Amino acid sequence: MTTTVIVGGVAGGMSTAARLRRRDEEMEIIVLEASGYVSFANCGLPYHVSGVIPERDSLLLQTPESLAQRFNLDVRVNTRATAIDRENKTVTTGNGESISYDYLVLSPGATPIMPPITGIERALNLRTVEDVDTVIAALTEDVKTAAIIGGGFIGLEMAENLRHRGLEVTVIERAPQIMTPLDEEMAVIVEKHLVDNGVTVITGGDTTDIAADRLTLADGRTVPADMVIASIGVKPASDLAADAGLEVGERGGIKVDEQQRTSDPSIFALGDAAEKLDAVSGEDTLVPLAQTANRHGRLVADIITGRDVRRTPTLGTAIVGLFDMAAGSVGWNERRARAADKNIRVIHTHPSDHAGYYPGAEMLHLKLVVDADTDAILGAQAVGGAGVDKRIDVIATAMRGGLTATDLADLELAYAPQFGSAKDPVNLLGYVNDNMVSGEKTVQWHELSDALSDGWTLVDVRTPGEFNAGTIPGAVNIPVDDIRDRIDELEGRKALAFCRVGQRGHVAASLLTHLGVESANLDGGFITWELSPAAQ
Amino acid sequence: MTTTVIVGGVAGGMSTAARLRRRDEEMEIIVLEASGYVSFANCGLPYHVSGVIPERDSLLLQTPESLAQRFNLDVRVNTRATAIDRENKTVTTGNGESISYDYLVLSPGATPIMPPITGIERALNLRTVEDVDTVIAALTEDVKTAAIIGGGFIGLEMAENLRHRGLEVTVIERAPQIMTPLDEEMAVIVEKHLVDNGVTVITGGDTTDIAADRLTLADGRTVPADMVIASIGVKPASDLAADAGLEVGERGGIKVDEQQRTSDPSIFALGDAAEKLDAVSGEDTLVPLAQTANRHGRLVADIITGRDVRRTPTLGTAIVGLFDMAAGSVGWNERRARAADKNIRVIHTHPSDHAGYYPGAEMLHLKLVVDADTDAILGAQAVGGAGVDKRIDVIATAMRGGLTATDLADLELAYAPQFGSAKDPVNLLGYVNDNMVSGEKTVQWHELSDALSDGWTLVDVRTPGEFNAGTIPGAVNIPVDDIRDRIDELEGRKALAFCRVGQRGHVAASLLTHLGVESANLDGGFITWELSPAAQ
C-alpha cells in the first residue's frame, strides 16, 4: 500500500490530503501538524480578536475526527516533523516516532520574522489558533495601547481589529510606506484611511527597544505599547527540507519544479514554504497566499495519483479590507517594473465604482502598469470603498488570459447602474492606454517637477471654482470649455494639462494638440498629485 | 471640410460624437436626436420613477449646450431624421431640412414592441426621459395597481420601483419563465424573490384585453391595472435604414461589417439598431445593451478618423438588480446550447459569496455551460445577493481571453474573507468541470426521472437531520461519512448521490466509485432540484 505523509495541515497540506483521498481510496494518508489545529481559517484569525467573527469554533473548519470520518485521514496534531531520512524514506516526529512514506508532501507554511530587538520576546504573533488564544487572553482590561511592528496585510488587519476593541493603536513600518505591494501614492490612501479611523501610522520607523509598556524608535520617539504585535513578515519554514539536503532557493523557499517536486522526486513542497514561479518575470518568487497553497495542494495530489498536470505561474493577487476600505493588487507594481528596467506605461484613474447617477457611488483609485513594448499588463492596484475586488479579479483574469492593456477597453462587463458604468472603470483603463498607444503623452506625478524645469506650462483645465479651492503650485487656469477661445494664451508654449482625475485633461490635451500646441496630460490629475509625495 | 451626421444622441451616438471631436477638431459633427434629450442615463430611468434616483437632473448627463461648449458639437434635439438620400448624401429631418454628410452614423436605438391588444394605447413605455415624465405624471394618488406586460430586465426593474411607490404590481410574462437570458431553474430564483417582495408574477400569461382598470388574460383571469406598462421587448429602429435601401438582417437589425459599416460604405450603424456578431456562434445577433453601443461608438469614430480597427464579437454580458438581489448572465444559456445541438457540460453550484466563517456571507447560485468537445466556456449565469457582478465579469473576461472551463480552477482571484474564499466560487466551477473531464458522471435535474426509470438508486448523502427535513422522493439516506461502513447496502446497485449543493455528493460519488459501485452526482444537489420544475 502506498503511504503519503503530509507535513502541515492547514491550507495546502489539507487540500492535498482531501484531494488525494477523493482520487485514491486505498492510499494511507498521514498528516502531521505542529500546532493543535488543522484546516483552520488562518485568514480569519484577526477578526476573531475583535469579535467580528464571534465564535472561535467557526475558525475551525475541520477537526482530526471529522477528517478521519469523511476522508479516512490519519491526522496528528501537536506533531512536529523534525527530520527526514530520504534514503530510508522516513519522517521523524517530535515524539521520536519514525514514519515511512512513499511520497512526502511538505506544506509547513512560514514562520514569523522576529528581528533581534531588545524585548522582542514580548511581541505576539498571529499565525495559529493558539496565537489568537494568546492575544485574546492578553487583552485584559489594563491593556489600553498596542504597537504593531510591520505595516503589511496582517499587521493592518490587526490594527483594525484592536481598534474595534477600543485600544489606542500604533503601526510602525520600517519602509517609507505601508503595504509594499502597492506603490507609495496608492499606499498613502490606505494610510490616510487608517489615520481617519484612529490608527497612528509611523512609516520609516525603526524599533530599537521594546520595554514593558512602550517601544522606542531609532529617532528617540516612544510609542505606547501595553501589547506588542510583530507582523514584520514571514520566512518560509524550509529548515526541515534544508536539513534533509533538499535544494532551497536564495529567498529561502524550498525549490520545486513545475510539478511542485523538490530536488528529491519523492518529495513535493507547496504553500508558503515553497518557491513559486512569477508570472510576469518567469523567475522564482515567494507568495505566501492561502489560495495559491490550496491550488497547489490539489495539483500535488493529482500528480501523486498519476495525472500529468503542471502549475500555472503566480500573479500574487491579493486584497485586504480595512475599516470598509479595500486595497488590492495583482502582478507587479511600478516600483518593481522600474527596478527591472522595463519600458512601461503607467495609468492612474479615479472613477466611481458604479454609475454616478445612482446613489451610493464611491470613488475608486486604480493604477495599471503596462509593458510599453508589448502592451502586456504587468500589474494593477486598486483602493476604494466598493468594487476593488471585482476590478482586481477582472484584471487578474485578463492577465491569465493573455489579454493586452488595450483589450481591457473591449471587455464586456455586466452593467446596471448599481454595479458599474456603461464604460466600466476597467474599460476606461483600456481607453487611456489606447490613447497613449495612439500618441497621447502623459506625465506622472514624479515627473512633474522635471517637466516644469523643462519649460512646460502647467494648465489647470478645471472650473475656476475648482481652481480656487486648491491647485498645483504654478498652474494657470484655462477651463477645458474655454480653450478654443483662449488658445492664444498658450501660443508657442508646451501645455501640461490637468483636471481632477484626468478625463477633462485628456479632452484638453487632445484639443490643444489639434490647435497646434504641444501638449500632455498629467496622469491621474489633481487627485493623484495631491495624494503623492510630490504634494507634501 | 468633412461633415459627419449622427442619428441618435444617447449612448452610441454620443460616444461617436465625443470621440470624433477628440480625434478631429476640424470636422463638422451634427447630432440629430428625435427626443428632447441627449446623453441621458437610460439605464437609470426606472429608478427615478420610485425616487431611488431623486433628482431628474442627475439623469441628464449632458445638454446640447454643454456638448457645444466642450466638444463643439451641433446637437439638435426634437429632430427626427426622416429620410436618407444616399446618392446625394443628405439626410432629411422632420422639419424638412436637408443636411449633407460625408459620413452618416445611424444610432437611433430601438422601439418598444407594442402587440395588437385591445387597449394597448393606454400602456406606457420607458425608453426616454419623456417616458419617465409621463409615468411619474400618471402616478396620481388614485393609481393603486400596476400591470407590467413583459418580464424582462426593464419590466422587472419597473416592478421593483413601482412597489417602492407602494403600488400593487403584477408582472405578466407570456413565456413560461421571466428573464429569458437565464435558464428556467435559475429564473425561478428571481421569481421567488420578486414574490417575496410583494410582486405578483404570472408566467405563461397571454394578455388579450386592456380595459380602464384591469387586464384580461387568455385564460380569463383578470389583473388589476390602474397603470399599464408595456415592456415586451424592443425592435431595432431600422426603418430609416431600410427605406434608404440599406441591408437589414432577418432579426430586423441594420446589417454591418466588422467595422460597423452598412451596405453603403459612407454609412455606419451601431447600438440597438444594428446587428452584432455573437461571440459564441459567430452569427449575427441583436444585443440591445448600452455598454456595447458605447464601445462601438468609439470604434466608429476611430474608423471614420482613419484607424484600421475592428469590433470584437459580443458576449451579451448583462445584469439586473432587483430588491437587493442581482441576476446576471454572459454568453449562451443551456437552452440555447441544447437548441444548437451542442455537446455540453452543465454545472450548478451554490457557494457563499465570501468565506462562510466571516459574517454576512450569502448564497450565490452559479451555472456554467461548457462545450464538452473543446472545454470552451459557452456561458454562465449567476443569481444572488452579493458578488454576482464580480463572478459574471470574471467569467466574461475569461471567455474573452479564450480560457477554458478547466482554466477557471487556476485563476488567481483576490482573497480576504470579506471578498471571497480561498477557493473562489469561480475556481470551484473549474474544479467541478475538471472532475467531469476526469470522468465523474453528473446528472442534471431534468435527467433525474429518466435516471430513476433507468434503475439508479437515489442516495441522499446528507445527515439524517437534513434528510428528515425534506428530500427528493424515492431517496435513501446514507450520510457521506457512513458510506464506508454501509457500502454493502448499495452492492450491485447504481448510486446517484446528492447532497445540499453538490460537494458532499462529489465526495460520495468518488468514494462509491472507488468502492466498486457505479456512481453519479446530482449536479447542484438538493437546492438545484428543489428550485427546478422537477420539484413542482
Side-chain angles (χ1 to χ4, degrees), chain A residues 25 70 315 412 481 484, chain B residues 25 70 315 412 481 484:
Chain A
E25 176 65 11
R70 173 86 36 101
L315 294 167
E412 279 181 80
D481 292 344
R484 288 184 186 83
Chain B
E25 177 64 13
R70 172 86 34 103
L315 293 166
E412 279 181 81
D481 292 344
R484 288 183 185 86

Side-chain angles (χ1 to χ4, degrees), chain A residues 213-269:
Chain A
D213 62 351
R214 79 181 73 89
L215 309 188
T216 307
L217 307 186
D219 61 9
R221 275 183 290 181
T222 60
V223 173
D226 296 333
M227 172 178 278
V228 180
I229 305 280
S231 57
I232 291 104
V234 295
K235 56 184 178 211
S238 54
D239 288 356
L240 179 69
D243 290 348
L246 296 174
E247 210 177 328
V248 169
E250 58 189 38
R251 285 175 187 77
I254 304 170
K255 268 206 172 304
V256 291
D257 67 9
E258 56 181 353
Q259 292 195 317
Q260 303 294 137
R261 259 194 198 86
T262 66
S263 49
D264 179 330
S266 300
I267 305 180
F268 295 79

Side-chain angles (χ1 to χ4, degrees), chain B residues 66-139:
Chain B
S66 71
L67 290 162
Q69 190 64 37
R70 172 86 34 103
F71 293 109
N72 191 20
L73 302 177
D74 179 356
V75 178
R76 308 179 189 179
V77 293
N78 297 313
T79 305
R80 183 178 292 278
T82 55
I84 303 167
D85 179 344
R86 289 166 52 197
E87 201 167 331
N88 295 304
K89 288 193 164 189
T90 61
V91 180
T92 307
T93 68
N95 54 25
E97 195 182 358
S98 174
I99 306 171
S100 292
Y101 66 80
D102 296 287
Y103 297 104
L104 178 63
V105 179
L106 302 177
S107 183
T111 51
I113 295 169
M114 299 294 269
I117 303 168
T118 311
I120 190 72
E121 61 281 358
R122 189 160 83 72
L124 305 178
N125 296 123
L126 204 80
R127 297 282 302 171
T128 64
V129 177
E130 287 89 343
D131 289 344
V132 173
D133 293 340
T134 304
V135 169
I136 290 173
L139 282 168

Side-chain angles (χ1 to χ4, degrees), chain B residues 29 41 70 74 122 146-147 149 157 188 229 303 329 348 353 416 525:
Chain B
I29 304 169
R70 172 86 34 103
D74 179 356
R122 189 160 83 72
I149 308 177
E157 287 175 344
V188 79
I229 305 279
I303 291 164
S329 66
H348 294 81
D353 71 301

Side-chain angles (χ1 to χ4, degrees), chain A residues 5-135:
Chain A
V5 175
I6 299 168
V7 176
V10 195
M14 207 44 77
S15 291
T16 310
R19 176 72 173 169
L20 274 177
R21 177 58 74 227
R22 289 201 300 276
R23 292 185 47 88
D24 187 338
E25 176 65 11
E26 299 303 317
M27 181 181 282
E28 186 175 16
I29 303 170
I30 302 168
V31 179
L32 309 178
E33 166 59 35
S35 83
Y37 301 89
V38 288
S39 202
F40 59 87
N42 39 5
C43 299
L45 300 181
Y47 301 94
H48 182 52
V49 171
S50 63
V52 166
I53 298 176
E55 297 298 329
R56 182 177 181 280
D57 274 357
S58 61
L59 298 171
L60 307 173
L61 309 177
Q62 297 283 353
T63 63
E65 295 68 35
S66 72
L67 290 162
Q69 190 65 36
R70 173 86 36 101
F71 293 108
N72 191 22
L73 302 177
D74 179 355
V75 178
R76 308 179 189 179
V77 295
N78 297 312
T79 304
R80 185 177 291 278
T82 54
I84 303 167
D85 178 344
R86 289 166 53 196
E87 199 167 334
N88 294 303
K89 290 194 163 189
T90 61
V91 180
T92 307
T93 67
N95 55 26
E97 196 182 357
S98 172
I99 306 170
S100 293
Y101 66 79
D102 296 287
Y103 298 104
L104 177 63
V105 178
L106 302 177
S107 183
T111 51
I113 294 170
M114 297 295 268
I117 304 169
T118 311
I120 190 72
E121 61 281 358
R122 190 161 83 73
L124 305 178
N125 297 123
L126 204 82
R127 298 281 303 171
T128 64
V129 177
E130 288 89 344
D131 289 343
V132 173
D133 293 340
T134 303
V135 169

